[in-house]
Amino acid sequence: MKEKISITAIASVSPLGSTLEETWMAYQNNEHYFSLVEENEGKSWVAPLSSSARLKVDELRLSDSKYKKLDDSVLFAMVASRNAVKRSGWENTAEFGINMGSSRGATKLFEQYHKEYLDTGISSTLSSPTTTLGNISSWVSHDLGATGPEISHSITCSTGLHSVLNGVAWLSSGMATKFLVGASEAPLTNFTIAQMKALKIYAKAPDSNSDSVIERSRSYPCQALNLKKEYNTMILGEAASVACLETGVVNNALAIIDGVGYATEILKHNTSISANAVCFQKSMKMALGDLDVTEVDAIVMHAPGTIKGDSSEYNAIQEVFGNHKPQLTTNKWKIGHTFATSGMLNLELAVLMLLHDKMISVPFIEAKPNNRNIKKILVNAVGFGGNAVSILISKNG
């Protein structure tokens, strides 16, 4: 990177809450935020928005007649973006760019309109404009009155961190001085859950004829970062998270972006990633640059809760860091996998750990106590096809 980038605000709506303070409080307990829902004549684990976050989304939907027909993914992004811009001090300016991503986009609306078409042979007037991917960034831009470029993209589960990459690129080029970046995902639909189950990666729910769960841990249905698990345990969650980026190091920065990295593996299968996650090795090395690996205090891993996904990333970390292994953590045991938003929630967790100088660990994973201050954290995300992103952030000052 030619110049460091400041994160002046970060905000989210997620299973953990709707404010940064509420989210940090939720990280202080060892509870997961999953619930069981009935779908497709069975039960499934999911991580829905918290009640406070859902209330804000519902209030926004009712605040304007134009918002009533928008997908949840759009409204999630609008709520989170309002919060971020308010925290950043950008309320008196409209000169900032926007890059919002989503893996699935308007999932609920698309399924609804498609069913309507199959049933009647007729498509609703709003079926196209309300389900286009660009809908998220354009509505966020409209809501905030931004005058900069607005960009949407979808790069599977690393989409959120690709938004950060794009924002950094715009700022580094001098074509902008402020950029709002993030992702939004509302995937808790029957069809989306069925897709994940078809891949054989979804967590087992309690059998209808039994109180037991087909997984050794009954306390934590998602066993992210448990390298000894015998079953895949991924669970879907819904969330939006956005960050405000500014060129250089500014006084009110929550954290500083010191390096970014990215890489893609050669596809062998639509969901493939190599045993040692070559893409992660390359992205982490690029983000680190010339930095000595011993200076990295923690890594917020992608760790989706699948056997291959968790182990390959862990192996990549061992390859890059050797005998010095930073403290490792993930939040998917607590809030599940939010597809595009997952990387942004990883970034939010990293920023919070820097601000509070406190490590948030996985409760069922043994970790060696480390009393060193947390100054530098590496944040990872990867998507189907092995497109990895790593972001290195540090404490401001």
Side-chain angles (χ1 to χ4, degrees), residues 261-268 271-287 308-321 378 380-383 385-390:
Y262 50 88
T264 302
E265 292 193 12
I266 297 174
L267 279 176
K268 294 183 179 179
T271 63
S272 66
I273 187 170
S274 57
N276 292 324
V278 174
C279 58
F280 264 137
Q281 292 184 48
K282 291 180 178 179
S283 68
M284 288 189 289
K285 287 178 181 177
M286 185 186 295
K308 290 183 178 179
D310 292 6
S311 63
S312 61
E313 184 178 3
Y314 183 84
N315 292 341
I317 290 170
Q318 286 191 310
E319 291 286 340
V320 173
F321 287 87
L378 195 62
N380 281 343
V382 71
N387 49 76
V389 179
S390 299

Side-chain angles (χ1 to χ4, degrees), residues 23-280:
T23 297
W24 181 244
M25 284 296 295
Y27 273 122
Q28 303 311 299
N29 65 57
N30 287 332
E31 300 172 6
H32 68 72
Y33 285 71
F34 303 120
S35 56
L36 283 168
V37 296
E38 294 281 349
E39 54 79 34
N40 298 331
E41 300 180 356
K43 291 182 178 180
S44 296
W45 290 107
V46 294
L49 290 189
S50 70
S51 56
S52 65
R54 175 52 68 178
L55 179 62
K56 288 190 175 182
V57 171
D58 291 343
E59 287 175 347
L60 176 61
R61 187 185 296 278
L62 296 174
S63 69
D64 191 313
S65 59
K66 296 189 296 295
Y67 297 165
K68 292 181 180 180
K69 296 293 185 179
L70 296 179
D71 188 72
D72 273 354
S73 59
V74 178
L75 296 175
F76 291 178
M78 290 168 67
V79 173
S81 297
R82 284 183 178 185
N83 291 344
V85 168
K86 184 176 181 180
R87 275 184 171 271
S88 70
W90 292 3
E91 288 182 299
N92 295 323
T93 181
E95 297 180 5
F96 57 89
I98 295 172
N99 193 148
M100 298 296 297
S102 183
S103 176
R104 304 287 165 145
T107 311
K108 184 177 180 180
L109 274 189
F110 196 91
E111 292 177 23
Q112 174 187 315
Y113 285 132
H114 185 246
K115 182 179 185 303
E116 179 184 73
Y117 173 73
L118 292 178
D119 291 343
T120 66
I122 300 172
S123 181
S124 297
T125 303
L126 293 178
S127 62
S128 176
T130 57
T131 59
T132 56
L133 181 60
N135 223 31
I136 300 179
S137 61
S138 58
W139 275 106
V140 168
S141 179
H142 162 79
D143 187 56
L144 298 176
T147 59
E150 55 185 65
I151 304 162
S152 296
H153 70 252
S154 178
I155 313 175
T156 63
C157 301
S158 56
T159 296
L161 291 195
H162 269 99
S163 293
V164 177
L165 288 181
N166 208 21
V168 168
W170 275 82
L171 297 176
S172 298
S173 72
M175 295 175 66
T177 58
K178 296 181 175 66
F179 235 88
L180 182 73
V181 300
S184 183
E185 210 74 64
L188 302 186
T189 67
N190 287 356
F191 182 55
T192 309
I193 294 171
Q195 286 177 300
M196 297 303 104
K197 288 185 175 181
L199 291 170
K200 310 298 183 184
I201 60 176
Y202 214 77
K204 305 290 185 181
D207 190 289
S208 59
N209 299 316
S210 171
D211 293 329
S212 66
V213 178
I214 310 175
E215 175 57 58
R216 282 182 293 180
S217 172
R218 286 159 172 73
S219 299
Y220 298 101
C222 178
Q223 288 283 298
L225 206 50
N226 175 6
L227 301 180
K228 296 180 180 179
K229 60 179 171 287
E230 299 174 0
Y231 300 92
N232 290 319
T233 64
M234 196 191 86
I235 298 174
L236 287 184
E238 57 183 2
S241 180
V242 300
C244 295
L245 307 184
E246 297 187 34
T247 307
V249 177
V250 300
N251 292 333
N252 65 324
L254 301 179
I256 307 300
I257 297 177
D258 291 330
V260 297
Y262 50 88
T264 302
E265 292 193 12
I266 297 174
L267 279 176
K268 294 183 179 179
H269 184 272
N270 288 349
T271 63
S272 66
I273 187 170
S274 57
N276 292 324
V278 174
C279 58
F280 264 137

